[in-house]
Amino acid sequence: MAPTALLAVLALVALVAPGLGVAPGCDHPAHRWCSSRDVAVACQVESRCPSLPHPAAAPVELSLYYESLCPACREFLVLKLFPTWLLLPEEMLSITLVPYGNAQERNVSGKLDFECQHGPEECLGNMMEACLMHEAKNFSTYFPVIFCLESGTSVTKNLEACLQIYAPEVDVGRVTSCVQGDTGVALMHHNAQVTDALDPPHQYVPWITINGKHTDELQAQAEASLLGLVCHLYQ
């Protein structure tokens, strides 16, 4: 190699790694150091590779503790939560729905029974939505169906119609069997335990936690401008 060319190569390497130092774990040529984040980390040159994609931030985690027939719960879910979810990419917002609220779990002759604030119809709606989540599994599949149920005239009578519109791949018979069987009771027992474990204990519904925390300020911000709150918290 000509002396001039050799000096040029040395100058280039010195620009990327001052002092010609190479990280012990780096076995890649200099021109490959910025080819991927793994290589840049191994060669300790991340700060010199501005074109590398930055790792995604953790999503904002929102949990909604609600009742299927609670007017304020339905308003928040339909007018605030669902539109915000539609507007944001899924990596920004992770939502957990817990239909139970102010219900009470009782043991009647060895069997679990539930008493709900808005009567038996609400208990049915809570269990129906819990079973829907269990059978559909994917949030993007079941959330539009729950939106459909909560925005309609009857939460408990429109399951088949809402499934046909938003999730025809979900078998209505499986959801119904869950509601009528032991699985539905087990799901509601789980929701009762999760709700009862809240710290601080919930005092009303809808009860909103953000990244596992509840404060009056976070609740007020979520109800006033959920989109703004998520965008502010997302790092």
PDB file of all heavy atoms in Angstrom, residues 122-154:
ATOM      1  N   GLU A 122     -75.622  -6.194  35.039  1.00  0.00           N
ATOM      2  CA  GLU A 122     -74.237  -5.734  35.012  1.00  0.00           C
ATOM      3  C   GLU A 122     -73.285  -6.893  35.272  1.00  0.00           C
ATOM      4  O   GLU A 122     -72.216  -6.979  34.636  1.00  0.00           O
ATOM      5  CB  GLU A 122     -74.004  -4.638  36.043  1.00  0.00           C
ATOM      6  CG  GLU A 122     -72.564  -4.128  36.065  1.00  0.00           C
ATOM      7  CD  GLU A 122     -72.430  -2.860  36.878  1.00  0.00           C
ATOM      8  OE1 GLU A 122     -72.307  -2.958  38.109  1.00  0.00           O
ATOM      9  OE2 GLU A 122     -72.464  -1.779  36.256  1.00  0.00           O
ATOM     10  N   CYS A 123     -73.618  -7.775  36.193  1.00  0.00           N
ATOM     11  CA  CYS A 123     -72.780  -8.946  36.433  1.00  0.00           C
ATOM     12  C   CYS A 123     -72.637  -9.770  35.156  1.00  0.00           C
ATOM     13  O   CYS A 123     -71.551 -10.262  34.836  1.00  0.00           O
ATOM     14  CB  CYS A 123     -73.375  -9.816  37.540  1.00  0.00           C
ATOM     15  SG  CYS A 123     -73.113  -9.170  39.214  1.00  0.00           S
ATOM     16  N   LEU A 124     -73.730  -9.905  34.405  1.00  0.00           N
ATOM     17  CA  LEU A 124     -73.689 -10.625  33.138  1.00  0.00           C
ATOM     18  C   LEU A 124     -72.786  -9.901  32.150  1.00  0.00           C
ATOM     19  O   LEU A 124     -71.970 -10.531  31.459  1.00  0.00           O
ATOM     20  CB  LEU A 124     -75.104 -10.769  32.574  1.00  0.00           C
ATOM     21  CG  LEU A 124     -75.216 -11.406  31.183  1.00  0.00           C
ATOM     22  CD1 LEU A 124     -74.630 -12.819  31.189  1.00  0.00           C
ATOM     23  CD2 LEU A 124     -76.676 -11.424  30.716  1.00  0.00           C
ATOM     24  N   GLY A 125     -72.901  -8.577  32.078  1.00  0.00           N
ATOM     25  CA  GLY A 125     -72.064  -7.800  31.163  1.00  0.00           C
ATOM     26  C   GLY A 125     -70.593  -7.892  31.524  1.00  0.00           C
ATOM     27  O   GLY A 125     -69.730  -8.043  30.641  1.00  0.00           O
ATOM     28  N   ASN A 126     -70.295  -7.818  32.819  1.00  0.00           N
ATOM     29  CA  ASN A 126     -68.903  -7.950  33.263  1.00  0.00           C
ATOM     30  C   ASN A 126     -68.316  -9.296  32.835  1.00  0.00           C
ATOM     31  O   ASN A 126     -67.209  -9.373  32.290  1.00  0.00           O
ATOM     32  CB  ASN A 126     -68.809  -7.832  34.790  1.00  0.00           C
ATOM     33  CG  ASN A 126     -69.107  -6.443  35.300  1.00  0.00           C
ATOM     34  OD1 ASN A 126     -69.133  -5.473  34.545  1.00  0.00           O
ATOM     35  ND2 ASN A 126     -69.356  -6.332  36.595  1.00  0.00           N
ATOM     36  N   MET A 127     -69.075 -10.366  33.097  1.00  0.00           N
ATOM     37  CA  MET A 127     -68.582 -11.698  32.775  1.00  0.00           C
ATOM     38  C   MET A 127     -68.487 -11.906  31.270  1.00  0.00           C
ATOM     39  O   MET A 127     -67.555 -12.542  30.766  1.00  0.00           O
ATOM     40  CB  MET A 127     -69.481 -12.767  33.409  1.00  0.00           C
ATOM     41  CG  MET A 127     -68.887 -14.165  33.318  1.00  0.00           C
ATOM     42  SD  MET A 127     -69.891 -15.438  34.120  1.00  0.00           S
ATOM     43  CE  MET A 127     -69.762 -14.975  35.829  1.00  0.00           C
ATOM     44  N   MET A 128     -69.437 -11.354  30.533  1.00  0.00           N
ATOM     45  CA  MET A 128     -69.417 -11.477  29.077  1.00  0.00           C
ATOM     46  C   MET A 128     -68.152 -10.844  28.498  1.00  0.00           C
ATOM     47  O   MET A 128     -67.489 -11.423  27.624  1.00  0.00           O
ATOM     48  CB  MET A 128     -70.670 -10.811  28.497  1.00  0.00           C
ATOM     49  CG  MET A 128     -70.867 -11.001  27.012  1.00  0.00           C
ATOM     50  SD  MET A 128     -72.408 -10.226  26.462  1.00  0.00           S
ATOM     51  CE  MET A 128     -73.609 -11.276  27.260  1.00  0.00           C
ATOM     52  N   GLU A 129     -67.801  -9.670  29.002  1.00  0.00           N
ATOM     53  CA  GLU A 129     -66.618  -8.990  28.485  1.00  0.00           C
ATOM     54  C   GLU A 129     -65.344  -9.700  28.943  1.00  0.00           C
ATOM     55  O   GLU A 129     -64.369  -9.775  28.186  1.00  0.00           O
ATOM     56  CB  GLU A 129     -66.640  -7.524  28.901  1.00  0.00           C
ATOM     57  CG  GLU A 129     -67.772  -6.770  28.217  1.00  0.00           C
ATOM     58  CD  GLU A 129     -67.814  -5.280  28.539  1.00  0.00           C
ATOM     59  OE1 GLU A 129     -66.896  -4.774  29.216  1.00  0.00           O
ATOM     60  OE2 GLU A 129     -68.774  -4.611  28.095  1.00  0.00           O
ATOM     61  N   ALA A 130     -65.339 -10.244  30.147  1.00  0.00           N
ATOM     62  CA  ALA A 130     -64.186 -11.017  30.610  1.00  0.00           C
ATOM     63  C   ALA A 130     -64.006 -12.269  29.757  1.00  0.00           C
ATOM     64  O   ALA A 130     -62.875 -12.624  29.380  1.00  0.00           O
ATOM     65  CB  ALA A 130     -64.354 -11.389  32.084  1.00  0.00           C
ATOM     66  N   CYS A 131     -65.089 -12.933  29.437  1.00  0.00           N
ATOM     67  CA  CYS A 131     -65.024 -14.132  28.594  1.00  0.00           C
ATOM     68  C   CYS A 131     -64.620 -13.785  27.170  1.00  0.00           C
ATOM     69  O   CYS A 131     -63.885 -14.540  26.521  1.00  0.00           O
ATOM     70  CB  CYS A 131     -66.374 -14.849  28.598  1.00  0.00           C
ATOM     71  SG  CYS A 131     -66.705 -15.818  30.097  1.00  0.00           S
ATOM     72  N   LEU A 132     -65.080 -12.660  26.680  1.00  0.00           N
ATOM     73  CA  LEU A 132     -64.688 -12.207  25.353  1.00  0.00           C
ATOM     74  C   LEU A 132     -63.167 -12.007  25.284  1.00  0.00           C
ATOM     75  O   LEU A 132     -62.503 -12.446  24.336  1.00  0.00           O
ATOM     76  CB  LEU A 132     -65.405 -10.904  25.010  1.00  0.00           C
ATOM     77  CG  LEU A 132     -64.965 -10.189  23.732  1.00  0.00           C
ATOM     78  CD1 LEU A 132     -65.214 -11.055  22.510  1.00  0.00           C
ATOM     79  CD2 LEU A 132     -65.681  -8.850  23.602  1.00  0.00           C
ATOM     80  N   MET A 133     -62.606 -11.365  26.304  1.00  0.00           N
ATOM     81  CA  MET A 133     -61.155 -11.171  26.350  1.00  0.00           C
ATOM     82  C   MET A 133     -60.437 -12.521  26.388  1.00  0.00           C
ATOM     83  O   MET A 133     -59.407 -12.715  25.733  1.00  0.00           O
ATOM     84  CB  MET A 133     -60.768 -10.352  27.578  1.00  0.00           C
ATOM     85  CG  MET A 133     -61.303  -8.934  27.593  1.00  0.00           C
ATOM     86  SD  MET A 133     -60.749  -8.057  29.093  1.00  0.00           S
ATOM     87  CE  MET A 133     -62.184  -7.036  29.433  1.00  0.00           C
ATOM     88  N   HIS A 134     -60.985 -13.445  27.172  1.00  0.00           N
ATOM     89  CA  HIS A 134     -60.366 -14.762  27.331  1.00  0.00           C
ATOM     90  C   HIS A 134     -60.368 -15.527  26.012  1.00  0.00           C
ATOM     91  O   HIS A 134     -59.362 -16.169  25.654  1.00  0.00           O
ATOM     92  CB  HIS A 134     -61.120 -15.549  28.401  1.00  0.00           C
ATOM     93  CG  HIS A 134     -60.633 -16.949  28.576  1.00  0.00           C
ATOM     94  ND1 HIS A 134     -59.448 -17.260  29.200  1.00  0.00           N
ATOM     95  CD2 HIS A 134     -61.195 -18.145  28.199  1.00  0.00           C
ATOM     96  CE1 HIS A 134     -59.284 -18.568  29.212  1.00  0.00           C
ATOM     97  NE2 HIS A 134     -60.328 -19.137  28.617  1.00  0.00           N
ATOM     98  N   GLU A 135     -61.453 -15.473  25.278  1.00  0.00           N
ATOM     99  CA  GLU A 135     -61.574 -16.244  24.039  1.00  0.00           C
ATOM    100  C   GLU A 135     -60.855 -15.571  22.867  1.00  0.00           C
ATOM    101  O   GLU A 135     -60.229 -16.249  22.056  1.00  0.00           O
ATOM    102  CB  GLU A 135     -63.057 -16.453  23.689  1.00  0.00           C
ATOM    103  CG  GLU A 135     -63.812 -17.340  24.660  1.00  0.00           C
ATOM    104  CD  GLU A 135     -63.251 -18.753  24.718  1.00  0.00           C
ATOM    105  OE1 GLU A 135     -62.703 -19.227  23.692  1.00  0.00           O
ATOM    106  OE2 GLU A 135     -63.355 -19.390  25.778  1.00  0.00           O
ATOM    107  N   ALA A 136     -60.928 -14.247  22.790  1.00  0.00           N
ATOM    108  CA  ALA A 136     -60.299 -13.542  21.663  1.00  0.00           C
ATOM    109  C   ALA A 136     -58.792 -13.407  21.859  1.00  0.00           C
ATOM    110  O   ALA A 136     -58.034 -13.392  20.886  1.00  0.00           O
ATOM    111  CB  ALA A 136     -60.944 -12.169  21.482  1.00  0.00           C
ATOM    112  N   LYS A 137     -58.380 -13.252  23.102  1.00  0.00           N
ATOM    113  CA  LYS A 137     -56.965 -13.174  23.500  1.00  0.00           C
ATOM    114  C   LYS A 137     -56.257 -11.912  23.022  1.00  0.00           C
ATOM    115  O   LYS A 137     -55.596 -11.238  23.791  1.00  0.00           O
ATOM    116  CB  LYS A 137     -56.195 -14.421  23.045  1.00  0.00           C
ATOM    117  CG  LYS A 137     -56.667 -15.693  23.733  1.00  0.00           C
ATOM    118  CD  LYS A 137     -55.918 -16.903  23.254  1.00  0.00           C
ATOM    119  CE  LYS A 137     -56.300 -18.140  24.058  1.00  0.00           C
ATOM    120  NZ  LYS A 137     -57.735 -18.453  23.973  1.00  0.00           N
ATOM    121  N   ASN A 138     -56.359 -11.566  21.767  1.00  0.00           N
ATOM    122  CA  ASN A 138     -55.650 -10.411  21.223  1.00  0.00           C
ATOM    123  C   ASN A 138     -56.418  -9.126  21.514  1.00  0.00           C
ATOM    124  O   ASN A 138     -57.600  -9.010  21.185  1.00  0.00           O
ATOM    125  CB  ASN A 138     -55.466 -10.588  19.710  1.00  0.00           C
ATOM    126  CG  ASN A 138     -54.557  -9.555  19.117  1.00  0.00           C
ATOM    127  OD1 ASN A 138     -54.875  -8.370  19.092  1.00  0.00           O
ATOM    128  ND2 ASN A 138     -53.406  -9.978  18.626  1.00  0.00           N
ATOM    129  N   PHE A 139     -55.731  -8.142  22.115  1.00  0.00           N
ATOM    130  CA  PHE A 139     -56.401  -6.905  22.503  1.00  0.00           C
ATOM    131  C   PHE A 139     -57.034  -6.195  21.313  1.00  0.00           C
ATOM    132  O   PHE A 139     -58.159  -5.687  21.400  1.00  0.00           O
ATOM    133  CB  PHE A 139     -55.412  -5.962  23.207  1.00  0.00           C
ATOM    134  CG  PHE A 139     -56.054  -4.718  23.765  1.00  0.00           C
ATOM    135  CD1 PHE A 139     -56.656  -4.731  25.014  1.00  0.00           C
ATOM    136  CD2 PHE A 139     -56.082  -3.536  23.028  1.00  0.00           C
ATOM    137  CE1 PHE A 139     -57.279  -3.604  25.524  1.00  0.00           C
ATOM    138  CE2 PHE A 139     -56.698  -2.399  23.530  1.00  0.00           C
ATOM    139  CZ  PHE A 139     -57.297  -2.433  24.784  1.00  0.00           C
ATOM    140  N   SER A 140     -56.320  -6.143  20.208  1.00  0.00           N
ATOM    141  CA  SER A 140     -56.841  -5.442  19.034  1.00  0.00           C
ATOM    142  C   SER A 140     -58.054  -6.149  18.440  1.00  0.00           C
ATOM    143  O   SER A 140     -58.797  -5.559  17.645  1.00  0.00           O
ATOM    144  CB  SER A 140     -55.748  -5.302  17.963  1.00  0.00           C
ATOM    145  OG  SER A 140     -55.302  -6.570  17.524  1.00  0.00           O
ATOM    146  N   THR A 141     -58.282  -7.407  18.830  1.00  0.00           N
ATOM    147  CA  THR A 141     -59.471  -8.131  18.390  1.00  0.00           C
ATOM    148  C   THR A 141     -60.660  -7.825  19.291  1.00  0.00           C
ATOM    149  O   THR A 141     -61.762  -7.533  18.819  1.00  0.00           O
ATOM    150  CB  THR A 141     -59.212  -9.652  18.374  1.00  0.00           C
ATOM    151  OG1 THR A 141     -58.147  -9.939  17.465  1.00  0.00           O
ATOM    152  CG2 THR A 141     -60.461 -10.419  17.944  1.00  0.00           C
ATOM    153  N   TYR A 142     -60.455  -7.872  20.614  1.00  0.00           N
ATOM    154  CA  TYR A 142     -61.610  -7.761  21.499  1.00  0.00           C
ATOM    155  C   TYR A 142     -61.966  -6.331  21.885  1.00  0.00           C
ATOM    156  O   TYR A 142     -63.119  -6.056  22.228  1.00  0.00           O
ATOM    157  CB  TYR A 142     -61.468  -8.638  22.746  1.00  0.00           C
ATOM    158  CG  TYR A 142     -60.338  -8.329  23.704  1.00  0.00           C
ATOM    159  CD1 TYR A 142     -60.354  -7.192  24.516  1.00  0.00           C
ATOM    160  CD2 TYR A 142     -59.271  -9.209  23.865  1.00  0.00           C
ATOM    161  CE1 TYR A 142     -59.331  -6.925  25.424  1.00  0.00           C
ATOM    162  CE2 TYR A 142     -58.257  -8.962  24.773  1.00  0.00           C
ATOM    163  CZ  TYR A 142     -58.290  -7.820  25.548  1.00  0.00           C
ATOM    164  OH  TYR A 142     -57.293  -7.556  26.452  1.00  0.00           O
ATOM    165  N   PHE A 143     -61.019  -5.400  21.834  1.00  0.00           N
ATOM    166  CA  PHE A 143     -61.357  -4.043  22.281  1.00  0.00           C
ATOM    167  C   PHE A 143     -62.424  -3.385  21.397  1.00  0.00           C
ATOM    168  O   PHE A 143     -63.352  -2.762  21.924  1.00  0.00           O
ATOM    169  CB  PHE A 143     -60.104  -3.180  22.364  1.00  0.00           C
ATOM    170  CG  PHE A 143     -60.310  -1.866  23.094  1.00  0.00           C
ATOM    171  CD1 PHE A 143     -61.230  -1.752  24.131  1.00  0.00           C
ATOM    172  CD2 PHE A 143     -59.591  -0.732  22.752  1.00  0.00           C
ATOM    173  CE1 PHE A 143     -61.429  -0.550  24.808  1.00  0.00           C
ATOM    174  CE2 PHE A 143     -59.770   0.476  23.412  1.00  0.00           C
ATOM    175  CZ  PHE A 143     -60.695   0.565  24.439  1.00  0.00           C
ATOM    176  N   PRO A 144     -62.356  -3.503  20.067  1.00  0.00           N
ATOM    177  CA  PRO A 144     -63.444  -2.929  19.265  1.00  0.00           C
ATOM    178  C   PRO A 144     -64.804  -3.554  19.571  1.00  0.00           C
ATOM    179  O   PRO A 144     -65.837  -2.871  19.487  1.00  0.00           O
ATOM    180  CB  PRO A 144     -63.008  -3.226  17.822  1.00  0.00           C
ATOM    181  CG  PRO A 144     -61.523  -3.327  17.891  1.00  0.00           C
ATOM    182  CD  PRO A 144     -61.252  -3.987  19.214  1.00  0.00           C
ATOM    183  N   VAL A 145     -64.809  -4.833  19.929  1.00  0.00           N
ATOM    184  CA  VAL A 145     -66.079  -5.490  20.273  1.00  0.00           C
ATOM    185  C   VAL A 145     -66.619  -4.918  21.582  1.00  0.00           C
ATOM    186  O   VAL A 145     -67.823  -4.636  21.707  1.00  0.00           O
ATOM    187  CB  VAL A 145     -65.896  -7.017  20.380  1.00  0.00           C
ATOM    188  CG1 VAL A 145     -67.241  -7.685  20.708  1.00  0.00           C
ATOM    189  CG2 VAL A 145     -65.327  -7.587  19.094  1.00  0.00           C
ATOM    190  N   ILE A 146     -65.749  -4.733  22.571  1.00  0.00           N
ATOM    191  CA  ILE A 146     -66.179  -4.136  23.844  1.00  0.00           C
ATOM    192  C   ILE A 146     -66.648  -2.704  23.619  1.00  0.00           C
ATOM    193  O   ILE A 146     -67.656  -2.271  24.202  1.00  0.00           O
ATOM    194  CB  ILE A 146     -65.035  -4.203  24.875  1.00  0.00           C
ATOM    195  CG1 ILE A 146     -64.801  -5.662  25.288  1.00  0.00           C
ATOM    196  CG2 ILE A 146     -65.353  -3.340  26.106  1.00  0.00           C
ATOM    197  CD1 ILE A 146     -63.661  -5.867  26.246  1.00  0.00           C
ATOM    198  N   PHE A 147     -65.947  -1.970  22.768  1.00  0.00           N
ATOM    199  CA  PHE A 147     -66.409  -0.623  22.400  1.00  0.00           C
ATOM    200  C   PHE A 147     -67.815  -0.683  21.815  1.00  0.00           C
ATOM    201  O   PHE A 147     -68.685   0.126  22.168  1.00  0.00           O
ATOM    202  CB  PHE A 147     -65.440  -0.004  21.385  1.00  0.00           C
ATOM    203  CG  PHE A 147     -66.006   1.166  20.640  1.00  0.00           C
ATOM    204  CD1 PHE A 147     -66.068   2.423  21.230  1.00  0.00           C
ATOM    205  CD2 PHE A 147     -66.488   1.015  19.347  1.00  0.00           C
ATOM    206  CE1 PHE A 147     -66.600   3.510  20.541  1.00  0.00           C
ATOM    207  CE2 PHE A 147     -67.020   2.088  18.647  1.00  0.00           C
ATOM    208  CZ  PHE A 147     -67.076   3.341  19.254  1.00  0.00           C
ATOM    209  N   CYS A 148     -68.054  -1.638  20.950  1.00  0.00           N
ATOM    210  CA  CYS A 148     -69.372  -1.806  20.335  1.00  0.00           C
ATOM    211  C   CYS A 148     -70.433  -2.102  21.389  1.00  0.00           C
ATOM    212  O   CYS A 148     -71.520  -1.514  21.374  1.00  0.00           O
ATOM    213  CB  CYS A 148     -69.301  -2.925  19.295  1.00  0.00           C
ATOM    214  SG  CYS A 148     -70.861  -3.314  18.459  1.00  0.00           S
ATOM    215  N   LEU A 149     -70.121  -2.995  22.309  1.00  0.00           N
ATOM    216  CA  LEU A 149     -71.079  -3.341  23.366  1.00  0.00           C
ATOM    217  C   LEU A 149     -71.381  -2.141  24.254  1.00  0.00           C
ATOM    218  O   LEU A 149     -72.542  -1.851  24.561  1.00  0.00           O
ATOM    219  CB  LEU A 149     -70.519  -4.481  24.218  1.00  0.00           C
ATOM    220  CG  LEU A 149     -70.332  -5.839  23.545  1.00  0.00           C
ATOM    221  CD1 LEU A 149     -69.614  -6.798  24.489  1.00  0.00           C
ATOM    222  CD2 LEU A 149     -71.666  -6.415  23.110  1.00  0.00           C
ATOM    223  N   GLU A 150     -70.329  -1.427  24.667  1.00  0.00           N
ATOM    224  CA  GLU A 150     -70.494  -0.329  25.611  1.00  0.00           C
ATOM    225  C   GLU A 150     -71.138   0.903  24.974  1.00  0.00           C
ATOM    226  O   GLU A 150     -71.734   1.725  25.670  1.00  0.00           O
ATOM    227  CB  GLU A 150     -69.139   0.043  26.222  1.00  0.00           C
ATOM    228  CG  GLU A 150     -68.539  -1.035  27.118  1.00  0.00           C
ATOM    229  CD  GLU A 150     -69.316  -1.244  28.407  1.00  0.00           C
ATOM    230  OE1 GLU A 150     -70.104  -0.365  28.787  1.00  0.00           O
ATOM    231  OE2 GLU A 150     -69.124  -2.300  29.045  1.00  0.00           O
ATOM    232  N   SER A 151     -71.015   1.053  23.677  1.00  0.00           N
ATOM    233  CA  SER A 151     -71.588   2.221  23.010  1.00  0.00           C
ATOM    234  C   SER A 151     -73.010   1.974  22.511  1.00  0.00           C
ATOM    235  O   SER A 151     -73.697   2.898  22.067  1.00  0.00           O
ATOM    236  CB  SER A 151     -70.711   2.648  21.822  1.00  0.00           C
ATOM    237  OG  SER A 151     -70.609   1.605  20.873  1.00  0.00           O
ATOM    238  N   GLY A 152     -73.486   0.734  22.600  1.00  0.00           N
ATOM    239  CA  GLY A 152     -74.822   0.398  22.124  1.00  0.00           C
ATOM    240  C   GLY A 152     -75.888   0.601  23.191  1.00  0.00           C
ATOM    241  O   GLY A 152     -75.609   0.988  24.322  1.00  0.00           O
ATOM    242  N   THR A 153     -77.105   0.303  22.826  1.00  0.00           N
ATOM    243  CA  THR A 153     -78.225   0.475  23.750  1.00  0.00           C
ATOM    244  C   THR A 153     -78.242  -0.607  24.823  1.00  0.00           C
ATOM    245  O   THR A 153     -78.730  -0.389  25.928  1.00  0.00           O
ATOM    246  CB  THR A 153     -79.561   0.448  22.989  1.00  0.00           C
ATOM    247  OG1 THR A 153     -79.628  -0.769  22.223  1.00  0.00           O
ATOM    248  CG2 THR A 153     -79.679   1.642  22.057  1.00  0.00           C
ATOM    249  N   SER A 154     -77.701  -1.788  24.508  1.00  0.00           N
ATOM    250  CA  SER A 154     -77.664  -2.890  25.473  1.00  0.00           C
ATOM    251  C   SER A 154     -76.301  -3.549  25.437  1.00  0.00           C
ATOM    252  O   SER A 154     -75.858  -4.018  24.382  1.00  0.00           O
ATOM    253  CB  SER A 154     -78.748  -3.925  25.160  1.00  0.00           C
ATOM    254  OG  SER A 154     -78.595  -5.064  25.993  1.00  0.00           O
TER     255      SER A 154
END
